[in-house]
Amino acid sequence: MLWAVATILFLMFRLMPTNPLAAYIDPTFTEEQQQLLMAKFGLDRPLWEQYFIYLKNLLQGELGDSFFYRQPVGERVLELLPNTLVLTFSSLIVAYLFGIIVGAWLAWKRDSVAERATIPLVLTTRAMPEFWLGMLLLAVFSFTLGWFPAGGTRSPGSEYDGYLALYTSRDFLSHLVLPALTLAIYSQGLPLLLMRSNMLEVMNEDFVTMARIKGLSNWTVVVRHAARNALLPVMTSFAIAVGYQIQGNVVVETVFSWPGLGRELVNAVSASDYPLAQGAFLMIAVVVVLMNLLADLLYSLLDPRVSHA
Amino acid sequence: MDGDILRVNGLKISYAVGDEKVRAVDDATFSIPGGSIVGLVGESGCGKTTVARGLTRVMTKNASIEGGEAIFDGADLMSMSETEMNRLRWRDIAFVPQSAMNSLDPVYRIEHQLNEVLVQRGGHSRKDARRRAEELFDMVGIEPRRLKDYPHQFSGGMRQRVAIALALALNPKLVIADEPVTALDVIVQRQILDTLKDLQEKLGISVILVTHDISVVAYVCDRIVVMYAGRVVESGDTETVLTKPYHPYTMGLYNAFPDLQSSAGVLTPIEGHPPDLRHPPTGCRFAQRCPFAQDRCTTSGEIALSDVGGGHFAACLRSDEAETLRGDAAKSETWAAMA
Amino acid sequence: MHSETARAEPVKDGTILRLIKRIHLPLDDPFALAGLIIYAVFILVAVFADQLATHNPLEILFTADYQLAADLRPGEDGFVLGTTSLGRDIYSQLIYGSRSALLIGITAAFMVAVIGTVVGLLAGYFRGWIDVVLMRAADIAFGIPFLPFVIVLSAFLEPSIWNVVFAMALILWRDTGRVIRSQVLTLRTRAYIDAARVAGSSDLKIVFRHIAPNILPLSFLYGSIAIGWAILTEAAISFLGFGDPETISWGYMLQDAYASQALSTGGYYWFVPPGICIVLVVVAGFFISRGYEEILFPKLKE
């Protein structure tokens, strides 16, 4: 799977009309110097040989050096991954908590005015370009009201020892609010709609009716039986949503100058820093694939019909 | 009668379907003597399941109770508050559903589902509940170690036993069993019915057994209540009603089912369909399909149940000619002529 | 042979008529109706953009006193929605933006629906190695992060709005393909398909006469979702600076506003309208697809 993605990536990067070294080569370089550079990056060899070297390097976690940073790509990408993961998970946790609770509540309030009004509203949040939503929040809460900082992960000049110290600092959290909120507003629609429709379906199941005939409390009926069952598909969608979110982060990270994988990909592509772009892309693909696997695993853990077959 | 645990009187239940109302149960009247199994029998759509669910007052949103009473233990189930009703649920009136597969929550172990009623509804302590759960499994003939299993790990018959164990958890006075054996094959049906009958006698409880299968009634029930198109058409002691039916519908129903104990001869179906309850016919609702119908059957208004002797009731204008009709009803040509 | 061809004609007519009937627009759902109206309005705006726009959207404008007409507020000097930092008319850009949005949306939706439907039909009907190969390809397409893929692709190709359409055609057929395949698999087992096969109908005839009409609403459902996706993707790509600077699109306008610091200078009139237009068109697609869902899966309504 990842191999297929890596191959497609290789072909894309190598078969493109532009010289992959265009950005690296100074116009003042002599022909000889250019040849030397080509040799250094292995670009003078036949394509198939390049391909096998590429695969071999990938397997060893060797992603090449960034043209721009003159630093190993693997190192750079791993440095940025935590920032992206923190942003993704914090926004998704907020989105899922909100979506699950409101979705269940809407199913409970079936056919009420609130329910009728909420569905189009939720669809509207799904229809918003994430970066535009980010721009609105930025303009209102940062520039106009001045409540939150405008971008980045920390105030200029501040230093932290390691990720943990940074991520638990007040400074970081105030930087996190707007980008995480942007992503959360966009993402809550999926769990909300899923939860709602699952709840509506589960509420008609015989075991929910039986729970009522047993005279169990409303809480037990609605939460412990109906919601617990309706939650199964929603929880698996979480892992898949992480995968989608990581790629969706590209635009939001750009709007909020958030030093993550997505923004790095955009910058690398703009600067024709191909090894870095390739590395960032692969990292994103790895997360997507891993999250899909996790979704399957999660489902089998949550559903005894699968785990106790 | 004073020994009755439940007396249902003129019960009316309707469903709202679109803009129209369907009176699924119309003026149902019957009683359940304490310590007996009563079969509530009729074709699908006759209102028997609606009666069963109506007695728990847990119904679909579009259903409403429009009249009548159900005196259980001296109090009317239909007019008591929801709080009072909820106090009775499962402690006094338990329910065995048709499909135990769908009525057990798939994500919890059986033990958890038993504990839930034992602790939340029965006030047992956790330890106490465990002991009781094992006792219940023992009673219905399942090894107690299977308490740790999930519903999908049981076979159909076993699940039905689990459902019975669940129903008996809090020593109810009345168990309503809605088609408890319909989904099972005949051999398993008999085993489950044997267990049910056995426990009912041992515990001295009353059971309402809802079924479309008159042979199930014949097999375990002390009394029978026959429903047709939302109304009770005949009721009484099972043996009397089945050997000396007074209503032509009961006669026809008996012909249409094989015996659970022996392989029966030719089965004769009742031709036609029950009437559309959005627009019920006047007079006897069975008249259209009845080989013995006369003009007066449809013109004389609703026909009330009348005592034909010994606690045996029937709603037929020709009940005084029952003996002759019974003779004709035994011949399949009589019914074939209605086709 | 003669009678065969003679009979083929009316059948063909009937098929097309039936196809049209199958599409039945979801008119009784108020939201779907609203969606259709929004579409109609935007299509009219796109068609009559030349008449509706007051200026050339890319022209750098000057005020009457020969000053650069830059950063004018709405209404100032007769510019309805004001001007950009470069002195371009925002209102006219907005009007012309509807052209690229609809062009991209509809072509991308068409590609996604057509490719997905064909893949689903082939895989579901013929099974065997075709199915294996196509579904394997779908798995791979699912493994490729979509937006990063479009970014990389548009960076290599000449900047053009068609890159988005191209990328969508390459990747997004996967969802449609899978759903249609499973639908075909269930249809395949229906009795009338068997009957047709026993009666000697060719595979092609079965697929087009019996199966295709039944999955058409599903293709439309996914097509109407894809319109929204295409417009959102194009906006994101333009916003990130990989769009065609010669073509005005709403995403380009937003990028222009963001890059020109409109956020910090309170230029709401500049970046709010294009966003609203995107939301309206995309949400219209969602409403229509919901209407289709209710036709397709009426159970959900109960």
Side-chain angles (χ1 to χ4, degrees):
Chain A
M1 184 67 228
L2 282 173
W3 164 78
V5 175
T7 304
I8 289 170
L9 201 59
F10 172 82
L11 291 175
M12 262 173 77
F13 277 96
R14 291 306 136 90
L15 297 181
M16 288 304 163
T18 40
N19 180 349
L21 281 182
Y24 201 69
I25 297 172
D26 203 284
T28 59
F29 282 11
T30 63
E31 186 70 18
E32 212 170 296
Q33 281 173 308
Q34 286 195 24
Q35 287 303 328
L36 241 151
L37 263 178
M38 293 282 276
K40 186 182 162 207
F41 287 98
L43 292 169
D44 53 345
R45 302 187 207 188
L47 200 64
W48 62 269
E49 211 182 315
Q50 286 187 37
Y51 175 63
F52 282 110
I53 294 170
Y54 162 78
L55 281 188
K56 198 182 113 225
N57 287 343
L58 267 189
L59 284 177
Q60 293 167 347
E62 183 62 57
L63 295 163
D65 284 354
S66 156
F67 294 158
F68 184 75
Y69 295 99
R70 315 271 155 135
Q71 165 191 10
V73 166
E75 219 172 82
R76 175 88 190 147
V77 166
L78 284 179
E79 240 169 62
L80 298 171
L81 181 65
N83 287 339
T84 292
L85 288 181
V86 165
L87 178 58
T88 301
F89 276 101
S90 55
S91 63
L92 276 180
I93 288 166
V94 171
Y96 269 72
L97 281 178
F98 176 86
I100 287 168
I101 293 169
V102 176
W105 179 76
L106 284 181
W108 180 240
K109 291 274 156 198
R110 176 102 230 254
D111 286 331
S112 64
V113 182
E115 196 224 357
R116 276 163 216 265
T118 311
I119 301 301
L121 208 66
V122 169
L123 287 179
T124 308
T125 62
R126 302 282 299 165
M128 282 186 203
E130 287 168 285
F131 65 89
W132 181 65
L133 185 60
M135 283 166 72
L136 285 183
L137 294 180
L138 203 53
V140 174
F141 294 107
S142 182
F143 292 117
T144 306
L145 296 173
W147 291 356
F148 297 102
T153 54
R154 61 181 99 176
S155 308
S158 53
E159 284 297 329
Y160 297 94
D161 301 330
Y163 288 112
L164 194 67
L166 171 65
Y167 291 159
T168 49
S169 69
R170 228 189 119 91
D171 186 26
F172 175 82
L173 293 178
S174 71
H175 280 83
L176 179 65
V177 171
L178 288 183
L181 187 64
T182 305
L183 288 169
I185 290 175
Y186 180 77
S187 310
Q188 46 73 40
L190 179 69
L192 190 149
L193 294 176
L194 260 180
M195 188 66 192
R196 174 183 163 275
S197 64
N198 290 336
M199 270 299 264
L200 287 178
E201 219 163 274
V202 173
M203 295 284 273
N204 287 327
E205 293 278 353
D206 288 351
F207 63 81
V208 174
T209 310
M210 276 306 285
R212 288 191 192 291
I213 296 180
K214 285 175 191 164
L216 299 171
S217 64
N218 256 337
W219 175 263
T220 309
V221 175
V222 175
V223 176
R224 296 192 54 91
H225 290 285
R228 169 68 174 80
N229 274 277
L231 211 56
L232 286 177
V234 183
M235 287 322 289
T236 40
S237 84
F238 181 81
I240 294 169
V242 174
Y244 270 96
Q245 188 82 278
I246 295 267
Q247 38 173 323
N249 274 3
V250 172
V251 280
V252 172
E253 285 179 4
T254 304
V255 172
F256 291 97
S257 313
W258 187 266
L261 283 178
R263 178 161 164 270
E264 196 68 6
L265 176 73
V266 174
N267 291 344
V269 170
S270 307
S272 302
D273 188 343
Y274 297 120
L276 185 57
Q278 194 170 285
F281 188 101
L282 265 178
M283 198 67 203
I284 292 171
V286 168
V287 177
V288 173
V289 171
L290 284 182
M291 286 302 149
N292 276 307
L293 290 178
L294 187 72
D296 289 343
L297 193 74
L298 205 65
Y299 194 85
S300 62
L301 278 181
L302 286 175
D303 191 342
R305 280 162 296 189
V306 181
S307 54
H308 291 256
Chain B
M1 269 184 285
D2 264 336
D4 292 346
I5 182 91
L6 176 73
R7 262 201 321 274
V8 176
N9 240 328
L11 186 64
K12 295 182 180 70
I13 303 175
S14 293
Y15 291 105
V17 178
D19 298 333
E20 286 179 299
K21 275 210 159 167
V22 178
R23 174 73 51 98
V25 176
D26 198 1
D27 211 4
T29 300
F30 61 91
S31 58
I32 311 292
S36 67
I37 301 192
V38 176
L40 192 57
V41 70
E43 291 166 293
S44 60
C46 74
K48 57 190 192 296
T49 294
T50 306
V51 170
R53 287 285 295 278
L55 292 174
T56 67
R57 293 215 346 223
V58 174
M59 292 189 286
T60 49
K61 268 187 187 155
N62 60 342
S64 57
I65 294 161
E66 300 206 304
E69 49 177 22
I71 311 295
F72 175 81
D73 228 8
D76 180 15
L77 295 177
M78 297 302 123
S79 62
M80 66 176 52
S81 72
E82 183 55 28
T83 326
E84 284 173 302
M85 184 69 213
N86 214 34
R87 212 172 290 141
L88 286 182
R89 284 189 189 121
W90 221 257
R91 289 193 199 145
D92 290 320
I93 302 174
F95 199 88
V96 177
Q98 173 170 5
S99 163
M101 179 72 229
N102 302 330
S103 55
L104 293 167
D105 190 326
V107 303
Y108 296 115
R109 294 173 201 278
I110 297 299
E111 185 177 31
H112 175 102
Q113 308 194 36
L114 266 166
N115 274 347
E116 197 175 56
V117 285
L118 288 170
V119 174
Q120 205 188 113
R121 302 286 300 131
H124 287 67
S125 68
R126 291 258 152 208
K127 214 172 108 196
D128 216 21
R130 215 195 133 64
R131 195 190 41 73
R132 175 73 179 148
E134 285 175 3
E135 188 181 295
L136 285 164
F137 258 43
D138 222 39
M139 276 163 62
V140 297
I142 312 178
E143 291 170 66
R145 65 176 172 87
R146 301 215 57 188
L147 280 167
K148 294 263 179 245
D149 283 353
Y150 286 97
H152 72 274
Q153 291 168 303
F154 288 86
S155 68
M158 287 293 230
R159 256 180 242 130
Q160 220 58 49
R161 286 174 189 274
V162 170
I164 294 172
L166 258 167
L168 298 177
L170 305 180
N171 289 316
K173 296 185 178 123
L174 175 66
V175 172
I176 302 169
D178 184 11
E179 304 266 13
V181 294
T182 303
L184 307 171
D185 64 63
V186 183
I187 296 168
V188 183
Q189 279 193 8
R190 283 194 55 179
Q191 292 171 349
I192 302 288
L193 291 174
D194 288 341
T195 308
L196 191 66
K197 176 87 184 162
D198 197 40
L199 289 169
Q200 176 266 331
E201 282 171 359
K202 213 184 309 177
L203 302 172
I205 54 177
S206 307
V207 175
I208 300 180
L209 190 90
V210 177
T211 179
H212 66 283
D213 188 343
I214 207 157
S215 53
V216 167
V217 179
Y219 187 65
V220 288
C221 294
D222 305 315
R223 288 179 66 82
I224 181 170
V225 176
V226 182
M227 285 188 74
Y228 183 77
R231 298 179 67 93
V232 173
V233 292
E234 186 158 8
S235 70
D237 178 72
T238 307
E239 209 180 317
T240 324
V241 171
L242 294 187
T243 49
K244 286 197 168 62
Y246 273 76
H247 197 285
Y249 178 64
T250 316
M251 301 174 196
L253 204 59
Y254 195 55
N255 286 344
F257 271 94
D259 199 321
L260 202 62
Q261 279 162 305
S262 62
S263 58
V266 193
L267 302 179
T268 312
I270 306 174
E271 297 291 339
H273 299 282
D276 181 355
L277 289 180
R278 278 174 299 185
H279 315 286
T282 53
C284 175
R285 294 185 176 181
F286 186 60
Q288 284 169 296
R289 301 167 76 189
C290 181
F292 315 120
Q294 300 172 329
D295 282 348
R296 58 179 176 139
C297 293
T298 50
T299 52
S300 61
E302 301 281 8
I303 299 153
L305 283 169
S306 59
D307 196 341
V308 292
H312 185 171
F313 295 85
C316 180
L317 292 179
R318 300 184 68 184
S319 51
D320 49 334
E321 307 164 56
E323 198 125 357
T324 341
L325 301 187
R326 248 174 256 145
D328 288 342
K331 299 176 195 136
S332 54
E333 310 92 77
T334 312
W335 297 92
M338 295 301 293
Chain C
M1 274 312 272
H2 255 305
S3 61
E4 186 74 56
T5 39
R7 215 154 34 101
E9 279 305 84
V11 166
K12 216 173 178 182
D13 262 22
T15 311
I16 290 167
L17 258 178
R18 242 194 353 209
L19 288 188
I20 292 169
K21 251 191 216 151
R22 287 276 175 180
I23 299 170
H24 42 42
L25 293 169
L27 292 175
D28 25 336
D29 178 76
F31 284 112
L33 191 63
L36 287 169
I37 292 171
I38 294 174
Y39 267 10
V41 170
F42 274 104
I43 289 170
L44 285 177
V45 169
V47 169
F48 295 105
D50 294 331
Q51 282 73 35
L52 287 166
T54 49
H55 301 86
N56 177 338
L58 286 171
E59 194 188 337
I60 292 166
L61 302 164
F62 292 90
T63 55
D65 47 353
Y66 303 104
Q67 295 281 312
L68 183 67
D71 285 328
L72 293 179
R73 301 266 148 174
E76 255 180 281
D77 280 319
F79 296 105
V80 188
L81 288 172
T83 58
T84 74
S85 296
L86 272 178
R88 289 164 171 167
D89 180 37
I90 293 176
Y91 165 74
S92 301
Q93 290 195 341
L94 204 60
I95 294 291
Y96 276 98
S98 64
R99 272 196 183 171
S100 25
L102 290 176
L103 214 55
I104 291 168
I106 290 165
T107 43
F110 182 75
M111 303 275 275
V112 167
V114 167
I115 297 175
T117 304
V118 170
V119 166
L121 275 174
L122 290 177
Y125 187 78
F126 292 106
R127 309 295 315 269
W129 65 269
I130 301 184
D131 190 20
V132 173
V133 169
L134 289 175
M135 286 305 108
R136 200 69 212 142
D139 284 343
I140 293 170
F142 268 108
I144 295 176
F146 178 60
L147 196 59
F149 177 80
V150 188
I151 292 170
V152 173
L153 196 71
S154 20
F156 289 128
L157 302 174
E158 289 292 300
S160 153
I161 59 167
W162 299 112
N163 292 342
V164 174
V165 175
F166 182 53
M168 284 190 73
L170 279 179
I171 302 278
L172 288 190
W173 54 270
R174 58 192 186 185
D175 311 73
T176 326
R178 266 195 189 168
V179 173
I180 298 230
R181 172 180 170 269
S182 62
Q183 187 70 19
V184 172
L185 284 180
T186 46
L187 281 173
R188 221 173 159 267
T189 59
R190 298 270 167 85
Y192 66 89
I193 304 283
D194 274 339
R197 201 174 295 133
V198 171
S201 295
S202 68
D203 283 336
L204 212 63
K205 206 168 165 192
I206 294 175
V207 168
F208 282 100
R209 281 213 53 194
H210 299 289
I211 297 184
N214 284 303
I215 55 165
L216 210 65
L218 211 56
S219 313
F220 259 73
L221 172 67
Y222 276 82
S224 56
I225 295 173
I227 294 181
W229 263 100
I231 293 172
L232 285 175
T233 307
E234 190 282 329
I237 293 299
S238 296
F239 174 74
L240 295 172
F242 302 115
D244 176 6
E246 297 305 309
T247 315
I248 291 297
S249 75
W250 295 326
Y252 166 81
M253 292 174 70
L254 290 171
Q255 191 263 336
D256 198 8
Y258 181 79
S260 311
Q261 312 289 324
L263 263 53
S264 52
T265 56
Y268 290 97
Y269 55 90
W270 189 355
F271 64 84
V272 170
I276 289 177
C277 287
I278 296 174
V279 171
L280 278 177
V281 177
V282 177
V283 94
F286 286 169
F287 285 165
I288 294 171
S289 63
R290 254 175 74 81
Y292 267 119
E293 261 172 34
E294 281 179 1
I295 291 177
L296 286 172
F297 316 108
K299 176 174 92 91
L300 292 175
K301 235 182 163 175
E302 269 305 300

